[in-house]
Amino acid sequence: MNIQQSMTVRGKDRYKSGVMEYKRMGYWEPNYEPKDTDVIALFRVTPQDGVDPTEACAAVAGESSTATWTVVWTDRLTAAEKYRAKCYRVDPVPNSPGSYFAYIAYDLDLFEPGSISNLTASIIGNVFGFKPLKALRLEDMRLPVAYVKTFQGPATGIVVERERLDKFGRPLLGATVKPKLGLSGRNYGRVVYEALKGGLDFTKDDENINSQPFMHWRERFLYCMEAVNRAQAATGEIKGTYLNVTAATMEDMYERAEFAHELGSNIVMIDLVIGYTAIQSMAKWARKNDMILHLHRAGHSTYTRQRSHGVSFRLIAKWMRLAGVDHIHAGTVVGKLEGDPNTTRGYYDICREDFNPMQLEHGVFFDQNWASLNKLMPVASGGIHAGQMHQLLDLLGEDVVLQFGGGTIGHPRGIQAGATANRVALEAMILARNEGRDYVHEGPEILAKAAQTCTPLREALDVWKDVTFNYESTDAPDFVPTPSMAV
Amino acid sequence: MTQAQEQISETPLQTIDLRHEFADLGIGDVLDQLDSELIGLKPVKTRIREIASLLLVERIRQKMALATTFPTLHMSFTGNPGTGKTTVALRMAGILHKLGFVRRGHVISVTRDDLVGQYIGHTAPKTKEILKKAMGGVLFIDEAYYLYRPENERDYGQEAIEILLQIMEAQREDLVVILAGYGDRMEKFFQSNPGFRSRIAHHIDFPDYSDGELLWIAELMLQQQNYRFSPEAREAFTRYIGIRKEQPLFSNARSIRNALDRIRLRQANRIVAKLDRTLTADDVMSIEAGDVLASRVFAKGAGEGR
Amino acid sequence: MRVTQGCFSFLPDLTDEQIAAQVQYCLDKGWAVNIEFTDDPHPRNTYWDMWGLPMFDLRDAAGIMKELADCRRVYGDRYIRISGFDSGHGWESVRISFIVNRPREEPGFRLDRSEAAGRNLRYATHSYAADRPEGERYADQ
Ligand SMILES: Nc1ncnc2c1ncn2[C@@H]1O[C@H](COP(=O)(O)OP(=O)(O)O)[C@@H](O)[C@H]1O
Ligand SMILES: [Mg+2]
């Protein structure tokens, strides 16, 4: 890495049979200047002991593009130099001996237009099991505008979602029906009705609510829609419930989605585990059927959580914005699930901005232009409650769904009271923020004041006043390491 | 509510450190700026200092819960064109804002055509639109007397006047109106519209500038743009002022500004006419006598100051 | 019942001072402010009637509060809402919206169900207010 020059073998020797180092095959090109149309990937590479870091990074470029373990003459039937991914920069990771950031550029022709499956099959296809590496993590990608434009993007987007729901200027409120498993359709609908009537905008199926012996999917859909319509008439406000259509086959999913549509639902839900192709199919279906598409990121932590190996969640967020979902769970910072504040800010920016400037302290390694692709609504869910409203608003902003599952259903005076507590806390905080008050510091006072005219809020504040989740984050940015927010 | 009013709701204060209050508000800076940026205008500057003092005391009285009503702040600025009325209105808005008597401190400057419509039903929305834009700041109505056209009995100006009067009374806390124009015509206007006169708290008269002040203004304007007269050019410009003043459509400092614009043009032409040379900063800063003397003002029988 | 559309329906009705603060927030963001009224608050009734055009380029809330007062004088028996509109790229939509006036009695909505094939139901939300002709809906208040 000190000698920043190409080691690529040129001429006849390049294609002599046998094994050749990747860095000599053309996968290490320190003088390469990425084109505007290149896809750029940033990997965290941890080579096995004794493996030359440059060679390891070149191997990642090779294995995620054209190379195999030996020289093949058939390369000469192609414009091989164009198709070879080029590692053009290798930096040691700060405070992390033995790990390196490898910047690799890929020509746009390597990828099928509008296909996340194809994109990921290349970039994270084989290479993560490559033996000379101890660990490998995909940290970020720069997607060229030319490629972004081949994707549909969010079926509905934040702006149109708000217009359809007639809800502006505040985060949306939701709750996941609890207990996760075991409720019958009739009981399940009761929870939905109470929560929506009490003041939430949405309720939500959990990721593993599909069609089980205690509640088959049609029962759930029918009772839920009765609840939604009743709550809508009781409040004069548009309401919704994310009906999870995740199923074993695409045919089953379409059948469930069609039924939700027939019943007048405005939103359906899928789980990340259904796979990228199925997600893109559902996004197309949602666009065609005026349906908001909620994605639960079920399963992501198996590969996103550890800093050394896997895929950063920021890539999942990027891919899902391209793929076309409208909602994605992106962390809460203060709740029960993993989430460093700066890293989480990076995820939210990826979902919501039209342009992301490079911002290393948020883990955003590249400028990313979204070329007016719809904005993706982040969802904050897991272990949050009304008493944190000022922090949530400060950390997550206004374009977000705040999901208070336990924080609604666990209210001592019932679900409606829980929902009302959350809604009043939220409205009071927005009011104060817009009035120019220092709501972050005065948050507890603002809530206490609002509780004077809202008993449910006072009870909620009393019950959950001491609940916090303070653990060290496992995925903080490398450039400004910070522990999880202490609240 | 204005800042000044908000203070009332707090517990009334017993004592106030005057110097501290004065420094805190930063009106000293605005007044000093007025002094240094505007040449002459002695009586105007004195009046503005008086008004600022009055309002400072008013503010203190509010803090002590001694003020009973919100003061009327509407003003009339009379004087010939180019005597600095618009410029002073901008400074006035700044002072009122710093003292908390207007919330935003912007100035919306209008004439009759911005307020009065062409047909029935056109005027009220136009006037209201302007008033809404000016809320929180100062509405500056130049040549205000054109609003009133007694010769035309069905003139829509009357409608604008009524709306204005109503707002000037009812929303004193939201808006300060400054009426501006020639002294004699304003006087006639007030005679026929006593409603305006009674709502105006401060009348300020802007005198014409002396020749010396006009030269001084010219030098100040040049200096702000990094130009300067050569001694011969200064002498020529002094003559220019003397002649120009006697010609029609003379409008004090504005005529000076316009003359300087044309002089700069001639200077540039003169410089570019000789391409084969190296220029110094001095060359491009200096205005020469020829740049001034080429003015048509010096040609006998010339009309407007070209 | 209480229609809970808009940003602040769960709080006690806003005072004029509170409304002015929200309006000022919109103006400080550079949004146009619009006053709308209706006598049919059906949740899918998107187009309330406009009280004049949206107000662009204002600096201070006082002008809008004056319009609101005028609107209330004429339509004080109906729902009135204020919204802030952002013409910025990527939004070009409403950014905040809240109710500032309500009829004294809010009659609410009836949910009509009609049975369809199997256990399916077709739902319709019906405004009680709309049972009367437009313009007379809250007349006896
Ligand atoms: N006393 C002064 N000193 C410096 N410049 C002045 C002075 N009075 C007026 N000006 C300049 O002359 C021009 C016209 O002034 P303005 O305030 O518009 O006059 P009015 O409103 O009385 O017609 C402006 O460019 C202003 O800066
Ligand atoms: Mg003027």
Side-chain angles (χ1 to χ4, degrees):
Chain A
M1 290 153 321
N2 298 336
I3 321 139
Q4 296 283 309
Q5 69 190 30
S6 177
M7 305 175 192
T8 308
V9 178
R10 318 238 169 223
K12 264 202 327 222
D13 290 346
R14 167 65 180 81
Y15 293 103
K16 261 212 221 113
S17 292
V19 176
M20 184 188 283
E21 284 178 309
Y22 288 94
K23 63 184 175 194
R24 300 179 61 229
M25 284 198 280
Y27 299 107
W28 164 240
E29 293 288 3
N31 300 318
Y32 181 74
E33 271 206 29
K35 301 189 295 258
D36 284 348
T37 53
D38 285 347
V39 169
I40 306 174
L42 174 74
F43 290 92
R44 178 196 302 265
V45 181
T46 313
Q48 298 281 13
D49 298 338
V51 174
D52 166 29
T54 310
E55 173 62 4
C57 295
V60 171
E63 288 299 320
S64 61
S65 62
T66 52
T68 186
W69 59 278
T70 184
V71 172
V72 293
W73 65 269
T74 42
D75 268 347
R76 306 200 64 182
L77 305 178
T78 70
E81 268 158 44
K82 176 180 171 74
Y83 299 137
R84 253 175 232 139
K86 294 157 195 78
C87 179
Y88 62 91
R89 180 171 159 192
V90 175
D91 297 338
V93 176
N95 310 314
S96 185
S99 293
Y100 301 85
F101 283 135
Y103 290 76
I104 300 178
Y106 300 81
D107 191 273
L108 189 53
D109 278 2
L110 293 172
F111 307 104
E112 175 172 345
S115 170
I116 301 291
S117 292
N118 176 258
L119 176 71
T120 52
S122 281
I123 308 284
I124 58 169
N126 255 343
V127 63
F128 280 68
F130 195 52
K131 273 188 183 162
L133 306 179
K134 235 189 259 173
L136 179 64
R137 189 184 203 220
L138 181 59
E139 288 290 343
D140 201 358
M141 278 175 100
R142 195 283 305 266
L143 303 151
V145 166
Y147 195 47
V148 170
K149 277 291 191 189
T150 64
F151 287 88
Q152 169 191 285
T156 315
I158 290 179
V159 176
V160 174
E161 170 166 354
R162 286 191 173 282
E163 289 179 345
R164 279 192 204 159
L165 300 171
D166 188 35
K167 295 174 195 292
F168 306 98
R170 63 168 173 87
L172 303 178
L173 291 178
T176 309
V177 174
K178 305 278 170 178
K180 281 174 118 154
L181 298 167
L183 289 171
S184 71
R186 194 166 185 275
N187 292 337
Y188 197 93
R190 163 61 72 186
V191 178
V192 171
Y193 172 65
E194 297 290 323
L196 295 180
K197 167 133 194 258
L200 301 192
D201 305 300
F202 284 129
T203 47
K204 166 181 164 289
D205 291 342
D206 225 336
E207 73 282 2
N208 51 359
I209 281 286
N210 297 158
S211 194
Q212 282 112 324
F214 49 84
M215 176 171 62
H216 288 107
W217 66 273
R218 289 180 67 95
E219 288 304 294
R220 176 162 44 96
F221 285 23
L222 284 160
Y223 282 113
C224 281
M225 288 317 294
E226 169 72 14
V228 167
N229 283 290
R230 275 288 290 121
Q232 210 159 275
T235 60
E237 223 187 327
I238 296 191
K239 302 285 184 180
T241 193
Y242 320 158
L243 297 170
N244 192 348
V245 301
T246 299
T249 67
M250 222 40 234
E251 290 71 23
D252 290 338
M253 289 212 288
Y254 282 134
E255 185 192 354
R256 294 178 193 188
E258 293 291 352
F259 190 55
H261 183 243
E262 191 186 319
L263 293 176
S265 181
N266 50 27
I267 184 163
V268 293
M269 159 178 172
I270 49 177
D271 292 340
L272 183 60
V273 290
I274 68 175
Y276 301 138
T277 297
I279 290 170
Q280 284 196 265
S281 291
M282 289 308 297
K284 290 226 160 99
W285 180 92
R287 167 85 47 102
K288 200 163 96 190
N289 290 279
D290 306 330
M291 197 69 91
I292 301 166
L293 183 61
H294 178 97
L295 177 84
H296 188 294
R297 55 175 173 171
H300 83 96
S301 289
T302 48
Y303 45 88
T304 61
R305 190 167 182 192
Q306 293 307 324
R307 225 204 294 197
S308 58
H309 189 84
V311 176
S312 162
F313 180 74
R314 90 182 45 88
L315 275 318
I316 307 299
K318 282 192 175 177
W319 297 341
M320 289 305 103
R321 185 164 176 183
L322 295 174
V325 304
D326 290 314
H327 287 183
I328 187 167
H329 291 248
T332 64
V333 184
V334 296
K336 70 177 178 183
L337 301 176
E338 166 66 27
D340 163 80
N342 290 314
T343 313
T344 305
R345 173 63 68 84
Y347 304 157
Y348 274 66
D349 288 345
I350 284 166
C351 292
R352 297 189 297 203
E353 302 299 324
D354 193 45
F355 179 79
N356 305 131
M358 179 181 90
Q359 212 162 1
L360 296 180
E361 64 276 23
H362 292 173
V364 177
F365 287 85
F366 302 106
D367 286 357
Q368 176 66 53
N369 186 341
W370 287 100
S372 299
L373 216 62
N374 279 347
K375 303 178 209 296
L376 166 54
M377 183 87 86
V379 176
S381 175
I384 56 177
H385 54 83
Q388 300 162 324
M389 201 57 86
H390 49 299
Q391 295 159 332
L392 291 166
L393 188 60
D394 177 44
L395 291 163
L396 310 178
E398 167 177 304
D399 289 298
V400 57
V401 187
L402 301 176
Q403 300 251 150
F404 299 92
T408 299
I409 298 161
H411 193 282
R413 278 213 305 144
I415 300 169
Q416 276 197 36
T420 304
N422 289 323
R423 180 78 174 262
V424 170
L426 177 66
E427 293 191 356
M429 206 54 69
I430 294 283
L431 190 83
R433 181 198 65 177
N434 297 358
E435 283 172 353
R437 290 183 61 184
D438 179 3
Y439 69 96
V440 183
H441 294 105
E442 296 170 29
E445 292 149 53
I446 292 165
L447 292 173
K449 173 98 194 307
Q452 283 171 5
T453 50
C454 177
T455 313
L457 178 56
R458 187 160 55 237
E459 289 162 337
L461 296 175
D462 286 346
V463 175
W464 291 304
K465 61 174 179 288
D466 297 323
V467 179
T468 56
F469 298 91
N470 286 334
Y471 301 95
E472 191 78 8
S473 182
T474 52
D475 186 21
D478 294 284
F479 291 88
V480 186
T482 35
S484 265
M485 177 97 182
V487 181
Chain B
M1 264 206 330
T2 63
Q3 290 166 5
Q5 273 182 306
E6 274 165 35
Q7 307 290 349
I8 305 176
S9 52
E10 294 166 10
T11 6
L13 296 172
Q14 299 298 320
T15 59
I16 275 170
D17 179 343
L18 186 57
R19 176 174 296 283
H20 193 255
E21 181 78 2
F22 186 80
D24 246 20
L25 292 167
I27 30 174
D29 298 344
V30 185
L31 290 171
D32 291 348
Q33 199 187 350
L34 194 75
D35 272 346
S36 64
E37 278 180 5
L38 291 179
I39 306 294
L41 291 178
K42 212 33 198 239
V44 174
K45 290 172 180 171
T46 311
R47 286 285 285 131
I48 290 188
R49 277 187 185 272
E50 284 167 9
I51 295 171
S53 306
L54 180 73
L55 293 180
L56 180 64
V57 172
E58 183 68 25
R59 187 185 153 88
I60 291 168
R61 287 166 55 88
Q62 284 178 347
K63 285 192 173 183
M64 294 179 164
L66 296 172
T68 44
T69 52
F70 194 88
T72 299
L73 294 167
H74 307 307
M75 303 180 197
S76 98
F77 286 3
T78 47
N80 290 328
T83 47
K85 300 183 294 295
T86 310
T87 315
V88 170
L90 287 170
R91 297 281 168 271
M92 197 69 225
I95 294 170
L96 292 173
H97 181 50
K98 291 212 150 94
L99 283 164
F101 288 93
V102 295
R103 286 185 297 267
R104 322 268 152 224
H106 61 299
V107 177
I108 300 283
S109 183
V110 298
T111 59
R112 176 188 160 100
D113 287 350
D114 300 301
L115 298 168
V116 180
Q118 308 287 325
Y119 45 84
I120 294 183
H122 193 197
T123 299
K126 267 186 103 161
T127 304
K128 285 182 181 163
E129 189 65 29
I130 295 288
L131 284 169
K132 275 187 279 186
K133 290 204 165 110
M135 289 285 166
V138 169
L139 177 64
F140 182 85
I141 308 178
D142 215 355
E143 305 211 68
Y145 28 77
Y146 285 132
L147 287 176
Y148 178 66
R149 289 200 169 142
E151 68 280 7
N152 183 352
E153 188 178 310
R154 283 212 313 258
D155 181 46
Y156 299 124
Q158 196 54 41
E159 201 179 340
I161 289 175
E162 273 154 31
I163 297 171
L164 274 169
L165 286 175
Q166 202 248 327
I167 298 285
M168 282 168 75
E169 188 58 38
Q171 290 188 266
R172 274 183 296 164
E173 299 157 34
D174 297 323
L175 178 67
V176 169
V177 176
I178 298 180
L179 305 176
Y182 290 106
D184 49 344
R185 296 170 108 179
M186 286 299 279
E187 184 49 38
K188 259 195 244 138
F189 175 65
F190 285 132
Q191 271 165 23
S192 350
N193 294 276
F196 270 116
R197 193 199 290 284
S198 67
R199 284 173 177 79
I200 299 278
H202 306 285
H203 293 267
I204 303 182
D205 197 45
F206 288 63
D208 282 342
Y209 294 112
S210 70
D211 290 16
E213 284 169 340
L214 289 171
L215 180 62
W216 199 355
I217 288 173
E219 305 232 55
L220 181 72
M221 286 176 175
L222 286 180
Q223 184 199 325
Q224 282 162 352
Q225 304 175 75
N226 292 319
Y227 283 93
R228 62 171 169 256
F229 283 134
S230 71
E232 299 77 34
R234 181 176 307 108
E235 195 271 327
F237 197 75
T238 310
R239 277 171 52 214
Y240 175 92
I241 292 172
I243 303 172
R244 179 68 188 87
K245 270 181 81 171
E246 300 312 316
Q247 291 179 338
L249 300 175
F250 174 67
S251 55
N252 284 284
R254 181 167 312 106
S255 291
I256 300 296
R257 180 175 292 285
N258 294 344
L260 293 178
D261 285 346
R262 289 186 298 268
I263 286 172
R264 277 170 37 227
L265 195 71
R266 289 194 288 264
Q267 185 240 31
N269 267 330
R270 168 172 60 77
I271 291 174
V272 175
K274 276 202 281 170
L275 284 179
D276 294 321
R277 61 183 178 141
T278 324
L279 285 177
T280 63
D282 235 28
D283 293 333
V284 288
M285 284 173 73
S286 181
I287 304 284
E288 300 299 335
D291 303 332
V292 178
L293 292 170
S295 166
R296 284 211 282 160
V297 165
F298 293 101
K300 213 168 157 356
E304 165 40 349
R306 304 267 144 186
Chain C
M1 65 87 67
R2 183 177 173 89
V3 169
T4 55
Q5 293 169 24
C7 222
F8 304 119
S9 284
F10 272 75
L11 302 180
D13 285 343
L14 303 190
T15 63
D16 277 4
E17 202 182 322
Q18 287 176 310
I19 294 169
Q22 296 300 316
V23 169
Q24 194 60 48
Y25 168 79
C26 296
L27 296 181
D28 291 346
K29 294 250 177 198
W31 300 341
V33 175
N34 198 12
I35 300 177
E36 294 163 289
F37 59 93
T38 190
D39 61 4
D40 177 13
H42 188 286
R44 302 276 289 261
N45 177 11
T46 305
Y47 304 115
W48 293 22
D49 288 296
M50 295 199 287
W51 177 260
L53 296 182
M55 290 168 268
F56 297 93
D57 309 323
L58 302 197
R59 293 282 304 272
D60 189 83
I64 290 154
M65 295 309 289
K66 174 95 175 29
E67 292 290 345
L68 175 60
D70 291 348
C71 181
R72 275 181 176 148
R73 235 186 318 278
V74 183
Y75 296 115
D77 60 345
R78 306 181 191 192
Y79 291 92
I80 303 176
R81 74 182 172 199
I82 285 183
S83 51
F85 189 95
D86 180 359
S87 62
H89 169 252
W91 289 104
E92 290 141 315
S93 182
V94 177
R95 293 298 292 275
I96 188 172
S97 164
F98 53 99
I99 292 178
V100 292
N101 198 79
R102 301 167 182 273
R104 214 171 316 138
E105 288 295 326
E106 298 186 65
F109 309 89
R110 182 179 74 223
L111 183 63
D112 289 330
R113 298 178 183 78
S114 61
E115 287 85 355
R119 294 187 50 238
N120 287 12
L121 290 171
R122 296 256 161 272
Y123 297 97
T125 307
H126 177 102
S127 288
Y128 287 120
D131 288 342
R132 294 204 187 176
E134 217 177 323
E136 295 170 21
R137 287 176 182 163
Y138 305 98
D140 47 339
Q141 290 198 9

